[in-house]
Amino acid sequence: MPNPWTGKGNPYTRQEVRDRLQATLDQKKAIIAAGAGTGISAKFIEKGGADLIIIYNSGRFRMAGHGSTAGLMAYGDANAVAMEIGEFEVLPVVEEVPVICGVYGSDPRRRMWHHLLKVKEMGFSGINNFPTHSIVDGHFRNVLEETGMGFDKEVEMVRLASKMDLFSIVYVAKPDEARQMAEAGADAIIAHVGTTVGGSIGVVEASCTMDDAVFRTQEIVEAARAVNPDVFFLAHGGPINTPEDVRQILDRTDVHGFVGASSLERMGVEKSLTELTRSFKSLTLSEK
């Protein structure tokens, strides 16, 4: 339903976003969520029919020609960047698709309830846990957990968002993380199987094979579904890059759709700009 103040869609209530996603499934269509780092990306992602648009701080790095992993590094204020992209670039141009704000839940400088109030006031319809420590592993992950900046902060952020009537779509990398997020009230869970392969700034080799991605994704689905069967499930990352890859995941797991950031926004720009420029450069001068 339109926002009575603007006549546009955003913001939607949590239930309204859920109803929209369920309507997509009722039509036997896959749910497609897309990351946007610029207003023009968001505008044409919407024209392409995406169900959700997600604002990531990594989108700014990605569209500046840097790897998305830069969004996990200390190169800026992740929460401020996501809010800025939303306020000045994406929310003003998106007409009807729900827009989701990436929130760095473990940021120790934020009173999270206060930040989520600002997210909601800005006009976002929900939140996503990015940057996320779910994709950090090894010794550094242990240090983060031991020093009060662990994944549990992201879980608590989702719990708060649920109380505030904000839709939540969250990344997890392990079944236990999926269970925690389902218990906290997450509406949609994304099985993250690694950094996206391909393009000029993606990783060269997948962190897992497609068979591994299928197994890990289904493990995550089953863990969360045991807690809450009404969760929406989406796939992301690793070898899952093209529509053909997503077709495999849809056929071989119980996911309802796909979240594309690099694979939609960056790959589309890289390919189209390269091909368009080559077309112009193929022109020759006519004989006069």
Side-chain angles (χ1 to χ4, degrees), residues 182-205:
E183 289 168 355
D187 296 291
I189 288 177
I190 311 163
H192 196 306
V193 297
T195 303
T196 302
V197 174
S200 65
I201 51 177
V203 295
V204 176
E205 295 184 5

Side-chain angles (χ1 to χ4, degrees), residues 131-281:
T132 174
H133 290 170
S134 69
I135 57 177
V136 179
D137 57 15
H139 175 69
F140 185 51
R141 172 68 179 271
N142 292 337
V143 170
L144 290 170
E145 299 289 343
E146 291 173 7
T147 54
M149 292 174 279
F151 184 74
D152 62 308
K153 297 291 186 181
E154 299 175 35
V155 175
E156 182 56 29
M157 181 261 291
V158 169
R159 201 181 309 278
L160 285 170
S162 299
K163 293 178 180 178
M164 293 180 178
D165 196 35
L166 282 163
F167 177 85
S168 56
I169 176 169
V170 297
Y171 286 115
V172 303
K174 299 175 182 177
D176 183 59
E177 294 167 350
R179 279 190 289 270
Q180 291 179 60
M181 283 298 193
E183 289 168 355
D187 296 291
I189 288 177
I190 311 163
H192 196 306
V193 297
T195 303
T196 302
V197 174
S200 65
I201 51 177
V203 295
V204 176
E205 295 184 5
S207 56
C208 61
T209 66
M210 183 60 76
D211 286 343
D212 290 335
V214 166
F215 178 78
R216 290 169 56 184
T217 298
Q218 187 62 23
E219 267 195 323
I220 285 169
V221 170
E222 291 174 2
R225 194 165 54 191
V227 175
N228 181 5
D230 295 325
V231 171
F232 298 99
F233 296 103
L234 299 101
H236 175 82
I240 312 166
N241 186 9
T242 66
E244 293 74 25
D245 299 331
V246 176
R247 177 73 270 159
Q248 284 197 58
I249 289 291
L250 292 172
D251 290 344
R252 299 173 64 187
T253 73
D254 294 331
V255 297
H256 302 114
F258 171 70
V259 175
S262 293
S263 52
L264 263 163
E265 184 179 35
R266 174 173 63 81
M267 300 294 193
V269 170
E270 288 184 9
K271 183 177 180 181
S272 61
L273 287 181
T274 301
E275 292 181 354
L276 183 59
T277 304
R278 283 175 179 162
S279 295
F280 277 110
K281 283 297 294 178

